[in-house]
Structure formats: C-alpha cells, structure tokens
Amino acid sequence: QVQLVESGGGLVQAGGSLRLSCAASGRTFSSYGGGWFRQAPGKEREFVAAISRSGGNTYYEDPVKGRFTISVDNAKNTLYLQMNSLKPEDTAVYYCAARVISTNQYAYWGQGTQVTVSS
C-alpha cells in the first residue's frame, strides 16, 4: 500500500512554470513506477508522463513533450513534475499515481492538485 499527496499547484500566467510534487508514504516509489495524469473540466482524465522504478526511463504524451519533465527522488520518496512554458490548455487537476509493476496498472492515486494557466 502507498498513500500519495500532491502539492505545488496554483495559478500561473502563460509561459510560466510550476513544479508539482507527490509525496509517498508506505512503500517507496522504487517499488512502483510513477505517473502523472490530468483532468480538465468536462474532459476525461488523460495520461501526461510516466517514469520507471529506477527513474532511468521516462515517457511523455505528445502535448507536453519538451515542456514537462518527470523525475523521482527515491531518497525523499517523492515524484515530481516540472512544467515549463505553460499554456492555458494545460489547465487541469493534476494527479500522481503509482504503478504496480506486476500488473502494469496504476493502483494508487493522489487527491489531485489544481493547475490554472491564465492567458
């Protein structure tokens, strides 16, 4: 079991940056893969980025490639999402999640943090 708590959301102007954090308690991210998802108003939740247990492999959805960076600090048991060059279409609730390796399913989710990008 793992509990996840996101932080770092807020209001930022277009072109600005934010860094989201996801602190884990219980088992560490080194036991799971990590991922970030987002859900905009009126839309389904969508995948944003993922990272392997070791942190050596990362994956990004096309709209965020080159602007967002996912990372993990296993010593601090924290997952991060650095978001640069933010656009109004990035506005959403962002969720972190832990992926169970054996099933490749995201079984544990945080409560979400709001990111609002103004134009």
Side-chain angles (χ1 to χ4, degrees):
Q1 286 275 346
V2 60
Q3 293 76 45
L4 305 175
V5 178
E6 300 101 334
S7 61
L11 173 64
V12 64
Q13 288 188 333
S17 298
L18 283 174
R19 188 177 79 158
L20 304 183
S21 299
C22 174
S25 59
R27 301 185 69 178
T28 67
F29 272 112
S30 60
S31 300
Y32 300 90
W36 287 96
F37 293 75
R38 65 186 181 186
Q39 187 167 19
K43 295 187 177 181
E44 294 187 353
R45 186 158 55 188
E46 64 177 7
F47 168 77
V48 174
I51 192 166
S52 60
R53 281 187 298 175
S54 66
N57 294 299
T58 57
Y59 312 88
Y60 299 93
E61 194 67 1
D62 284 346
V64 307
K65 282 182 181 177
R67 300 188 298 121
F68 291 11
T69 303
I70 188 172
S71 62
V72 63
D73 185 335
N74 283 319
K76 294 183 178 180
N77 215 11
T78 301
L79 183 71
Y80 300 99
L81 185 68
Q82 177 67 44
M83 306 186 294
N84 298 328
S85 302
L86 283 162
K87 304 175 181 180
E89 51 263 45
D90 295 318
T91 295
V93 177
Y94 283 71
Y95 299 89
C96 67
R99 185 174 70 253
V100 177
I101 302 304
S102 60
T103 63
N104 200 33
Q105 297 295 313
Y106 287 94
Y108 305 102
W109 294 83
Q111 82 288 351
T113 186
Q114 177 70 46
V115 171
T116 303
V117 184
S118 63
S119 57

